[in-house]
Amino acid sequence: MTEGHPSVPSPPAPPWAQPPAPPPRKSGRGLWVALGAIAVALLVLLVGSVVAVSVYLDRSSSTTAEGSDEIDRLLAEHTRALRERDLAAYLAPFDAGDKDLVARQTALFHNLTRLPLAEARYEEFGASTATEGTFDVRVSFVHRFDGMDPTPVEELYKWTVTRTDADAPLKVTAVGGALVDGPARDMTTYYPAPWDTGRPIHVERTPHTVLVVDESLKAEAQRYAPVAERAATENAAAWKAGGVPATVPQGFVISLVKGKKELGSLYRTTKETPTESGVAIPVPPAGAIDGADASAPEVGTSRVVIDVTDEYHFTKGDRELEIFRHELAHAIVNVLLKRGRGATALDGPENWVVEGFAEYLAHGGKAFTTSDRTADSTRILRSYGYRQDLPGNAAWEMEGRLSYHYWLGHSAMSYIAERHGEQKVFQLVTEHYRGTPIGDVTRSVLGMSYADFEAGWAEHLRSAVR
């Protein structure tokens, strides 16, 4: 609520504004009287100013506190309404005159009640002050899928709020995704999720997966849920056999979409249409999305999105299990990322490690020569005269070479497993994700310099495909 600026008490008129004093006596008593009057006037002026400033600050502080408390109360009631399935109370903050806004929030309410959430609450993200007029509030939807998310995560909304006068309640007139300042935060923060589209969702659950899809994809969710479960259990068994003492997710939240446009617009906003078949999007734990807490983990969990119209894996191939194992492999190790790693493609882990490990699990630990990428990749390798280095991140997406680079990463993991034992694959990946440079990792895990490792791998590669 606004307050008028407090008035400053008027000081007594200074001596020079009074009628002229009689001529001073020789004793100087009149001069001392005048000086004393000036001192008293200045003292009164100073005290009055301090009191006025104190009153203003007290009122301003009280206004801010009251506004923040009011927003907290609104969000607490919104949380209660969701928990107790009270639709009327859930819709109460939204402008009833905006039929589209009310319809989307109604759909959101029903979608959220379908999700197997162990935790769900609304909190203010950052500080806001409830004032008259229109202002924005960033709202954090903190949630955790039961048995899937190791820790609560958050999705950020921006609520546009109005108040017509000091006694009127807050009214939400618009809802969208919120942005957070900082590196690599140029995308909406995990908005829109599948439950935000304004359309009904379907939820298909297995012991280790939750498939959250548009209701129009119910048949696909039912068809691929057993495939997702198999991928989750096989990856989990491989990770356990790898012997790495690291806590990783045992369950996964997966969404299926139709087409690359939808693949690039779920949980994120991409500047260009994606070319990939699926993605495992790392999500920070609740309270760490802005990177303010340097001690917080980089990643709390992942959201996996897979395009079921992708030709290579679905419509013209029979590689559904591969794509699920591949993306869930990313979701397993994403939680190992050290804070500050991966803000861009160049400062994150080496892509040949990231994608090579995912390809290794996608193919069930089989040799890289069993991959369907082998024939085309061998032709490229021959064009280089069988001379090849592991691709760096800067060259990773070279035109016409991306699939080949995936294959090279896979071959590096096969080489490590064959020459050093499969557990070394998991150890190397874990240490590198945790922030250790790859050259240091090859020394600590494999007992050799990176140059010697790369030379051994290159010879293994040549001998395997000649």
Side-chain angles (χ1 to χ4, degrees):
M1 293 177 286
T2 58
E3 296 281 351
H5 189 82
S7 60
V8 178
S10 300
W16 54 81
Q18 304 299 323
R25 298 180 182 179
K26 292 183 181 180
S27 64
R29 183 172 179 272
L31 175 63
W32 287 110
V33 170
L35 291 174
I38 292 173
V40 169
L42 291 175
L43 179 62
V44 170
L45 177 63
L46 176 62
V47 170
S49 299
V50 169
V51 170
V53 170
S54 176
V55 169
Y56 173 79
L57 291 177
D58 286 346
R59 290 180 178 179
S60 176
S61 175
S62 174
T63 300
T64 301
E66 289 176 7
S68 181
D69 288 346
E70 188 173 11
I71 293 169
D72 288 343
R73 289 194 297 272
L74 184 155
L75 296 177
E77 172 61 13
H78 207 53
T79 298
R80 182 207 64 78
L82 177 61
R83 181 179 64 249
E84 298 180 7
R85 306 296 192 260
D86 185 344
L87 176 59
Y90 189 85
L91 296 177
F94 302 102
D95 182 7
D98 189 331
K99 302 304 181 184
D100 181 66
L101 175 64
V102 172
R104 292 183 69 88
Q105 293 305 309
T106 301
L108 173 60
F109 173 85
H110 290 306
N111 284 342
L112 292 177
T113 61
R114 295 183 176 101
L115 300 176
L117 297 177
E119 298 180 49
R121 63 183 182 275
Y122 292 91
E123 298 177 349
E124 186 179 5
F125 185 91
S128 298
T129 302
T131 63
E132 292 180 31
T134 301
F135 56 98
D136 291 332
V137 176
R138 290 191 297 183
V139 175
S140 169
F141 174 50
V142 180
H143 57 284
R144 179 173 64 84
F145 277 78
D146 185 29
M148 306 296 149
D149 294 332
T151 185
V153 297
E154 60 189 337
E155 176 188 10
L156 293 191
Y157 295 96
K158 183 180 75 172
W159 283 7
T160 300
V161 181
T162 62
R163 187 206 296 277
T164 55
D165 57 61
D167 297 324
L170 299 177
K171 189 65 63 177
V172 181
T173 59
V175 175
L179 291 172
V180 175
D181 297 331
R185 298 301 184 201
D186 59 340
M187 301 186 297
T188 50
T189 43
Y190 313 104
Y191 172 95
W195 44 86
D196 294 308
T197 63
R199 301 184 302 271
I201 60 171
H202 172 76
V203 177
E204 195 73 28
R205 184 166 186 175
T206 72
H208 299 93
T209 71
V210 172
L211 275 67
V212 183
V213 304
D214 190 277
E215 194 172 51
S216 64
L217 288 169
K218 178 179 178 179
E220 285 82 355
Q222 293 174 336
R223 174 182 175 183
Y224 293 119
V227 181
E229 176 64 19
R230 179 181 170 186
T233 55
E234 289 181 357
N235 280 6
W239 182 264
K240 184 177 180 180
V244 175
T247 301
V248 296
Q250 300 299 306
F252 307 93
V253 178
I254 304 169
S255 290
L256 308 178
V257 296
K258 285 188 173 181
K260 306 305 180 191
K261 183 177 180 181
E262 290 186 26
L263 181 66
S265 60
L266 204 60
Y267 298 114
R268 57 179 179 161
T269 300
T270 54
K271 296 178 180 178
E272 298 179 359
T273 302
T275 58
E276 63 264 28
S277 308
V279 63
I281 302 171
V283 184
I289 202 169
D290 59 354
D293 183 0
S295 64
E298 174 74 12
V299 178
T301 192
S302 296
R303 296 291 180 251
V304 173
V305 188
I306 293 175
D307 175 16
V308 294
T309 66
D310 179 71
E311 291 186 356
Y312 180 79
H313 291 96
F314 293 94
T315 61
K316 292 185 179 180
D318 187 21
R319 305 178 184 89
E320 296 96 340
L321 183 59
E322 284 183 17
I323 185 64
F324 279 96
R325 284 194 298 210
H326 182 105
E327 297 307 334
L328 297 190
H330 286 315
I332 286 174
V333 293
N334 276 345
V335 299
L336 303 176
L337 276 170
K338 183 179 179 181
R339 177 160 293 279
R341 296 295 301 273
T344 71
L346 298 180
D347 64 8
E350 296 291 336
N351 281 327
W352 69 260
V353 175
V354 174
E355 299 300 345
F357 177 71
E359 284 289 277
Y360 184 76
L361 287 194
H363 291 81
K366 295 178 182 177
F368 72 104
T369 51
T370 64
S371 169
D372 290 336
R373 304 181 194 272
T374 300
D376 288 340
S377 296
T378 300
R379 283 193 290 270
I380 296 173
L381 181 61
R382 286 174 181 153
S383 72
Y384 288 134
Y386 290 96
R387 305 178 78 173
Q388 179 64 59
D389 299 326
L390 282 163
N393 286 3
W396 183 257
E397 294 190 3
M398 182 186 300
E399 186 175 357
R401 295 291 183 266
L402 186 58
S403 178
Y404 174 56
H405 290 166
Y406 273 61
W407 182 75
L408 292 179
H410 186 184
S411 72
M413 296 299 155
S414 289
Y415 167 66
I416 295 170
E418 183 176 322
R419 297 295 174 87
H420 301 276
E422 189 174 53
Q423 288 194 339
K424 294 297 184 181
V425 171
F426 294 89
Q427 292 173 21
L428 179 140
V429 171
T430 298
E431 290 307 309
H432 189 44
Y433 263 74
R434 285 173 167 169
T436 305
I438 192 60
D440 295 336
V441 174
T442 59
R443 288 189 180 277
S444 62
V445 175
L446 306 179
M448 63 177 65
S449 68
Y450 186 75
D452 288 343
F453 162 73
E454 195 171 41
W457 159 77
E459 178 56 36
H460 174 78
L461 177 67
R462 290 189 291 268
S463 63
V465 297
R466 270 182 174 166

